[in-house]
Amino acid sequence: MDCLQPSCSMCGIWALFGSDDCLSVQCLSAMKIAHRGPDAFRFENVNGYTNCCFGFHRLAVVDPLFGMQPIRVRKYPYLWLCYNGEIYNHKALQQRFEFEYQTNVDGEIILHLYDKGGIEKTICMLDGVFAFILLDTANKKVFLGRDTYGVRPLFKALTEDGFLAVCSEAKGLVSLKHSTTPFLKVEPFLPGHYEVLDLKPNGKVASVEMVKYHHCTDEPLHAIYDSVEKLFPGFEIETVKNNLRILFNNAIKKRLMTDRRIGCLLSGGLDSSLVAASLLKQLKEAQVPYALQTFAIGMEDSPDLLAARKVANYIGSEHHEVLFNSEEGIQSLDEVIFSLETYDITTVRASVGMYLISKYIRKNTDSVVIFSGEGSDELTQGYIYFHKAPSPEKAEEESERLLKELYLFDVLRADRTTAAHGLELRVPFLDHRFSSYYLSLPPEMRIPKDGIEKHLLRETFEDSNLLPKEILWRPKEAFSDGITSVKNSWFKILQDFVEHQVDDAMMSEASQKFPFNTPQTKEGYYYRQIFEHHYPGRADWLTHYWMPKWINATDPSARTLTHYKSTAKA
């Protein structure tokens, strides 16, 4: 069981610098993200700066004595670190540079790397998912950083007079007070970036620079210290398939880093099925003392439930099926939108099932670390509209755009719906090595082939016996659609409900009421109303709605597309 190493796991981070208001009042805002770390909470002032503090909610995974944050070690008394995430290569880097660790927490590597080479070399060496706040009181600096795809969330507010507030979720910042502004501007911190800020004697800050340190197409710098077996050069199909299998297996293996029980979401689609099958195989090899629990959700006659059952029977997991009805789904919309902090239509639709299944997992099982197939559609061109791409090069551009925007859509959904119930999600398809290699392949290798999307990925595992053939080649089904029958899609159920909640008069005034991202449908209007109730005036967190390209789509559901209709069986 050597691979099951400890990690900090999912948690909630929060910090203020230069607060004018009473800290004991301000810290109440930090309690808005208590769900991210239900096991413990700490609120700590910074020595010498009475208006600076850290807040931390912990999901205890390891090291009960030294696992709390902010992390501080004797060797660097001037460094304070609050972070959320997992650094998968922390052991390899510790051994490579002979760092002496004081805790068993993977994030401690950030302190050692920073002392050795500064922030730029530190952040480029981290193989994992993370959002962090690092304070260096000796050099009077504050650093913020976020992983390449924004798998771990981070929001910030910075006023003109230098008040800085940072939090894992926006809800922990929106009610903060500051003397110079009645309305604190809160915005997501961009993935793949770090920011350097000067810390002034009065505890306020000034931004020095914002740096994009990594793009998804670049092989990460930490690859030189990777333990992955050597990949074969060239783009012969067998070479590529072999390299993809090596990198995917490694992506799963490094994510076994926890001593809490691991489970897996299983929709019965290609992505989650590949993750579940590979995960179960590796857990067996690691000789974990428990069965892998897999989880599927749907209504009666859901194609996802049937497909997931088939996969679970084939791989031999301890399978859980969660049934819900349309009333339960509709009733959860308010909670879901509050948790998500978005009103994007396809994100809300897809989040209901994920929110309800996460609730079930938390209440009925001891699985805490949950694997899923997020990121594959964006990376491997899995959306049905990719069949309509004008050229392989245009498809490549679109894939990179989708990956860049993941933090606004699928990754946001995956994090918030699971974190709302104190679970931590792991997403192997967004592994740095795997994704950068996939994106380096010739564009024509990655497009749909023979009418089947993700053809290369399916072909790669064709002879592995990981999955039944009909699952490996099962056509794309959007998660929000697959949880219901083809005869009565989830989006139709929602639209029928909303028809009675929003009238034509409300729609005719939508552009006056919501001039930014004006909802074009009653469903969009309904979600926007709920969002504005919880987060008034914050509509700009969503830059645009998610919609398919290259087709005249009026709805984001895959079931409205011609290609889907030609392959679906009612």
Side-chain angles (χ1 to χ4, degrees):
M1 286 181 60
D2 292 348
C3 61
L4 300 188
Q5 300 164 354
S7 78
C8 166
S9 192
M10 196 274 296
C11 59
I13 61 176
W14 182 89
L16 299 185
F17 296 89
S19 174
D20 289 344
D21 239 55
C22 173
L23 285 182
S24 58
V25 174
Q26 297 277 60
C27 78
L28 293 174
S29 289
M31 302 315 291
K32 301 270 183 71
I33 59 159
H35 51 272
R36 294 191 72 87
D39 295 332
F41 170 65
R42 177 185 280 177
F43 181 70
E44 190 168 340
N45 284 51
V46 177
N47 304 343
Y49 295 89
T50 54
N51 58 357
C52 300
C53 60
F54 288 91
F56 178 68
H57 291 277
R58 185 180 184 216
L59 181 65
V61 168
V62 75
D63 201 348
L65 190 59
F66 297 110
M68 279 300 282
Q69 295 189 33
I71 297 173
R72 303 183 68 205
V73 295
R74 290 187 199 92
K75 194 173 181 185
Y76 317 117
Y78 47 88
L79 295 183
W80 304 59
L81 172 68
C82 244
Y83 88 106
N84 167 212
E86 303 82 47
I87 313 300
Y88 303 122
N89 61 345
H90 73 110
K91 286 276 186 195
L93 293 174
Q94 180 191 14
Q95 289 160 9
R96 175 71 177 78
F97 298 115
E98 298 180 340
F99 293 141
E100 284 183 33
Y101 273 24
Q102 191 178 306
T103 73
N104 290 324
V105 178
D106 55 306
E108 187 182 333
I109 188 65
I110 296 172
L111 301 178
H112 295 278
L113 287 172
Y114 171 73
D115 180 73
K116 180 180 173 60
I119 192 65
E120 186 179 2
K121 288 184 179 167
T122 297
I123 203 161
C124 293
M125 293 300 287
L126 302 177
D127 180 10
V129 294
F130 54 82
F132 68 74
I133 312 151
L134 176 63
L135 167 63
D136 178 350
T137 54
N139 293 294
K140 307 289 188 288
K141 296 285 184 191
V142 177
F143 304 97
L144 306 178
R146 193 175 180 192
D147 66 71
T148 300
Y149 296 113
V151 173
R152 291 291 172 260
L154 192 66
F155 285 80
K156 76 162 191 177
L158 179 61
T159 65
E160 283 185 13
D161 72 328
F163 168 57
L164 173 68
V166 187
C167 190
S168 293
E169 296 181 18
K171 56 181 68 70
L173 301 178
V174 290
S175 57
L176 286 172
K177 302 284 186 288
H178 189 64
S179 58
T180 63
T181 173
F183 186 81
L184 197 63
K185 184 172 170 56
V186 176
E187 54 194 355
F189 189 86
L190 289 175
H193 286 71
Y194 69 83
E195 186 172 12
V196 183
L197 303 108
D198 282 335
L199 178 66
K200 297 176 180 178
N202 64 357
K204 296 189 186 295
V205 302
S207 181
V208 177
E209 60 175 341
M210 175 77 94
V211 179
K212 184 173 178 65
Y213 69 88
H214 187 234
H215 188 273
C216 57
T217 55
D218 303 330
E219 184 176 72
L221 288 179
H222 55 70
I224 56 175
Y225 301 115
D226 209 321
S227 58
V228 181
E229 60 188 276
K230 196 164 175 56
L231 301 181
F232 297 94
F235 296 124
E236 292 293 319
I237 186 64
E238 290 306 317
T239 299
V240 167
K241 282 159 58 177
N242 188 58
N243 288 343
L244 285 173
R245 283 191 296 268
I246 289 169
L247 290 170
F248 186 70
N249 287 330
N250 186 61
I252 299 273
K253 187 174 184 177
K254 69 175 78 163
R255 282 166 177 75
L256 302 181
M257 191 177 80
T258 182
D259 57 7
R260 294 292 285 269
R261 184 166 183 161
I262 291 172
C264 189
L265 299 182
L266 180 59
S267 70
L270 174 68
D271 310 323
S272 65
S273 300
L274 271 179
V275 170
S278 304
L279 176 59
L280 189 138
K281 188 168 175 250
Q282 294 205 30
L283 287 173
K284 277 184 179 171
E285 287 169 11
Q287 298 182 317
V288 297
Y290 56 78
L292 174 67
Q293 293 178 328
T294 50
F295 304 96
I297 188 165
M299 296 185 190
E300 243 174 284
D301 298 328
S302 150
D304 276 6
L305 282 182
L306 293 172
R309 196 180 304 159
K310 199 172 282 183
V311 175
N313 288 337
Y314 186 86
I315 66 176
S317 61
E318 180 192 304
H319 193 52
H320 296 243
E321 289 185 356
V322 181
L323 278 168
F324 78 105
N325 58 39
S326 53
E327 195 178 317
E328 286 171 293
I330 287 163
Q331 281 178 350
S332 73
L333 285 171
D334 187 84
E335 286 173 46
V336 167
I337 291 169
F338 173 72
S339 297
L340 290 176
E341 304 173 336
T342 189
Y343 50 92
D344 177 63
I345 295 167
T346 192
T347 303
V348 173
R349 287 177 185 172
S351 293
V352 169
M354 207 159 175
Y355 185 87
L356 293 174
I357 201 168
S358 298
K359 194 175 190 176
Y360 169 90
I361 294 169
R362 182 71 188 179
K363 191 176 174 185
N364 299 286
T365 79
D366 58 348
S367 285
V368 175
V369 174
I370 308 297
F371 278 63
S372 86
E374 255 71 41
S376 176
D377 285 324
E378 291 78 7
L379 176 67
T380 66
Q381 303 182 16
Y383 293 114
I384 290 173
Y385 71 87
F386 272 94
H387 289 276
K388 300 288 187 183
S391 69
E393 290 71 28
K394 288 292 180 191
E396 177 179 54
E397 270 178 38
E398 175 68 355
S399 176
E400 286 179 31
R401 182 188 71 84
L402 289 170
L403 287 166
K404 191 180 169 188
E405 294 178 356
L406 265 173
Y407 77 104
L408 293 170
F409 302 110
D410 279 27
V411 152
L412 179 149
R413 165 181 54 79
D415 173 83
R416 301 305 195 288
T417 54
T418 50
H421 301 289
L423 304 176
E424 183 219 300
L425 203 74
R426 296 197 175 171
V427 284
F429 276 106
L430 294 178
D431 180 75
H432 286 178
R433 290 291 311 275
F434 180 79
S435 60
S436 63
Y437 178 75
Y438 204 98
L439 294 169
S440 75
L441 299 174
E444 57 275 11
M445 281 189 97
R446 292 179 268 151
I447 56 172
K449 185 177 161 191
D450 302 332
I452 298 171
E453 63 283 341
K454 293 189 272 205
H455 196 282
L456 175 61
L457 186 64
R458 299 173 197 272
E459 209 182 336
T460 295
F461 292 96
E462 172 84 89
D463 301 319
S464 66
N465 292 320
L466 277 175
L467 295 172
K469 288 285 188 285
E470 67 266 34
I471 297 294
L472 190 66
W473 294 96
R474 183 189 176 201
K476 168 70 182 164
E477 174 82 90
F479 179 55
S480 60
D481 295 327
I483 58 173
T484 51
S485 72
V486 175
K487 289 175 187 170
N488 197 15
S489 290
W490 177 227
F491 78 95
K492 286 292 294 172
I493 293 168
L494 287 167
Q495 287 170 352
D496 291 345
F497 164 75
V498 166
E499 187 63 37
H500 304 289
Q501 311 302 314
V502 179
D503 60 35
D504 293 342
M506 293 160 83
M507 285 304 297
S508 68
E509 293 177 8
S511 58
Q512 283 87 45
K513 189 170 183 178
F514 305 122
F516 178 79
N517 269 348
T518 304
Q520 302 299 309
T521 63
K522 290 184 177 181
E523 185 185 5
Y525 190 102
Y526 185 73
Y527 299 160
R528 181 66 173 273
Q529 272 190 316
I530 296 174
F531 176 86
E532 292 289 345
H533 169 72
H534 291 298
Y535 307 108
R538 309 287 182 176
D540 61 351
W541 289 345
L542 178 68
T543 54
H544 59 281
Y545 290 101
W546 192 99
M547 283 292 277
K549 254 184 121 161
W550 305 310
I551 46 177
N552 294 320
T554 54
D555 190 281
S557 170
R559 285 190 177 173
T560 64
L561 305 184
T562 312
H563 175 78
Y564 179 86
K565 289 172 182 170
S566 68
T567 56
K569 293 180 175 68

